[in-house]
Amino acid sequence: MAVEESLLVFKKSFETHRHLISRRKATHSQGWKNQSSVTEFILLGFSRNPRTNWIFFFLFLFLYLFTVLGNGVIVTLIRVDARLHTPMYFFLSILSLLDLSYATTTVPQMLIHLVSKSKTISYVGCVVQMYIFLTLGITETWIFAAMAYDRYVAICYPLHYRVKMSQTLCVLLAVSSSLCGLTCALVYTVFAMNLPYCGPNEINHFFCEIPAVLKLACADTSLNDQVDFILGFILLLIPLSLILASYVRIFTAILKIGSTQGRIKAFSTCASHITVVTMFCIPCMVMYMRPGSEASPEDDKKLALFYNVISAFLNPIIYSLRNKDVKRAFFKLVGTSADTQ
């Protein structure tokens, strides 16, 4: 009897212990599931002060509307004016479309969040925004390189310009730039969103940009930092190296021009491009080629504003104010003589 009672007690004790272990495993599994299945993010934006947010709202609304208007006008002018159907303006129209598109990817949502109490974005929406923004940005860096090559051929080989910069080559450069953007943006996005996100789900940014989103990951992001650096090298330093090589050849050719007026004219065709490349690429290099641990959220917002909003806002101004062909096409479109203006 004593042996049977002991066995019965041992059996009950074993079943109780097994039941507790099962409950702990279920609780742990459920907790891990809840931590990893973030369904939405909160974009903190710039300020929690409603009055400050309204000031930002009107400021960014003006910048965005001017960006849409300015880039839209440039695309329209290049489309309707036959004298602008050249390789240089073909690439300029693509640049304007890219500027308009990636500003539209982020700014309208930012404007809504500035005046709304709800500042959430769904997980899927965050991934889509991230991918589209990266695709457009990467494509733009390679379009810059194509534009530099176009200026190189125009200045160094003016007699062979039409032959070398054929329509087929221009389309090929544009398509290859787009494919590079689509592919590399996919790699960036997959590596970033493959990490577990445990919460909090507050992104200290005004849109879903990879460096800001990675700070919420509850896993080691050193591999992502390495991928970001390698891709940053491929997608920023290589195009910049091609641009630099083109302009070294261009400036060498300009110095050989006999007349001062000829030198000024040749250099003026490159000045706008150099300015735009500097405004866009330098902040991008700082953002994407430094370790995530060294990033400051407030500094990241300022950098993102510069290459996302300010650059797209200034590009139409830079390319139109110093460009007689664009101004002539504009005055022709509105029915005014360019010489009178």
Side-chain angles (χ1 to χ4, degrees):
M1 291 292 295
V3 174
E4 291 179 357
E5 288 179 1
S6 298
L7 290 174
L8 183 62
V9 170
F10 177 78
K11 183 178 180 181
K12 289 182 178 180
S13 176
F14 177 78
E15 290 178 353
T16 302
H17 182 68
R18 186 176 62 179
H19 178 67
L20 288 173
I21 292 176
S22 300
R23 287 187 59 183
R24 286 176 183 176
K25 287 183 178 180
T27 303
H28 177 75
S29 176
Q30 185 66 29
W32 182 89
K33 183 178 179 181
N34 291 337
Q35 288 179 342
S36 302
S37 58
V38 174
T39 59
E40 65 180 16
F41 294 101
I42 300 172
L43 296 168
L44 297 181
F46 298 97
S47 173
R48 297 181 184 272
N49 188 325
R51 182 176 299 180
T52 304
N53 283 338
W54 274 106
I55 295 173
F56 282 138
F57 173 82
F58 288 111
L59 173 62
F60 292 132
L61 178 63
F62 167 76
L63 294 176
Y64 176 67
L65 292 177
F66 190 91
T67 298
V68 173
L69 177 64
N71 286 288
V73 167
I74 287 181
V75 173
T76 303
L77 292 177
I78 295 172
R79 177 71 176 175
V80 301
D81 196 310
R83 288 178 295 184
L84 300 182
H85 293 173
T86 63
M88 181 178 78
Y89 294 108
F90 169 73
F91 291 121
L92 179 57
S93 65
I94 294 177
L95 179 66
S96 295
L97 285 173
L98 290 171
D99 287 341
L100 194 156
S101 299
Y102 72 70
T104 302
T105 303
T106 60
V107 177
Q109 182 192 57
M110 176 183 67
L111 294 173
I112 294 173
H113 287 174
L114 284 171
V115 296
S116 173
K117 292 183 179 179
S118 175
K119 303 180 187 298
T120 60
I121 180 172
S122 67
Y123 181 91
V124 175
C126 185
V127 174
V128 171
Q129 184 185 62
M130 183 187 300
Y131 178 69
I132 294 175
F133 182 81
L134 285 170
T135 299
L136 297 171
I138 293 169
T139 303
E140 183 156 330
T141 60
W142 287 100
I143 291 295
F144 283 143
M147 295 174 75
Y149 177 73
D150 170 73
R151 292 298 82 208
Y152 160 71
V153 176
I155 293 174
C156 297
Y157 303 97
L159 299 179
H160 305 282
Y161 178 66
R162 290 287 183 179
V163 177
K164 287 181 175 291
M165 293 302 298
S166 63
Q167 183 178 4
T168 302
L169 178 61
C170 292
V171 173
L172 181 62
L173 289 173
V175 171
S176 59
S177 299
S178 302
L179 291 176
C180 181
L182 290 166
T183 305
C184 296
L186 183 63
V187 175
Y188 262 118
T189 306
V190 168
F191 268 89
M193 305 316 293
N194 196 39
L195 295 170
Y197 291 91
C198 309
N201 61 340
E202 295 181 342
I203 301 176
N204 195 0
H205 212 294
F206 61 92
F207 73 101
C208 287
E209 192 165 29
I210 281 186
V213 174
L214 286 179
K215 293 179 181 179
L216 303 183
C218 51
D220 183 18
T221 60
S222 58
L223 177 60
N224 295 77
D225 289 338
Q226 295 174 11
V227 171
D228 290 350
F229 181 83
I230 294 171
L231 288 178
F233 179 84
I234 296 172
L235 304 175
L236 287 171
L237 291 185
I238 291 181
L240 283 176
S241 299
L242 296 174
I243 293 170
L244 181 61
S246 297
Y247 277 110
V248 168
R249 298 292 300 272
I250 288 171
F251 291 145
T252 302
I254 289 175
L255 292 176
K256 294 179 181 179
I257 297 176
S259 65
T260 304
Q261 185 177 1
R263 292 180 183 178
I264 295 174
K265 183 178 179 181
F267 180 76
S268 65
T269 62
C270 305
S272 300
H273 183 247
I274 295 172
T275 304
V276 171
V277 169
T278 302
M279 288 194 311
F280 183 85
C281 291
I282 299 303
C284 286
M285 288 178 62
V286 176
M287 175 71 80
Y288 285 93
M289 295 190 67
R290 65 181 176 183
S293 58
E294 298 179 6
S296 165
E298 299 306 317
D299 291 342
D300 285 352
K301 294 176 192 177
K302 295 174 185 176
L303 288 171
L305 273 178
F306 207 84
Y307 58 74
N308 181 16
V309 181
I310 306 300
S311 176
F313 167 75
L314 292 177
N315 283 358
I317 301 174
I318 294 171
Y319 278 109
S320 61
L321 288 181
R322 298 180 58 88
N323 193 307
K324 292 180 180 180
D325 293 333
V326 173
K327 289 190 287 186
R328 187 183 296 112
F330 175 76
F331 290 131
K332 179 182 177 182
L333 184 66
V334 300
T336 308
S337 172
D339 295 333
T340 302
Q341 293 296 329

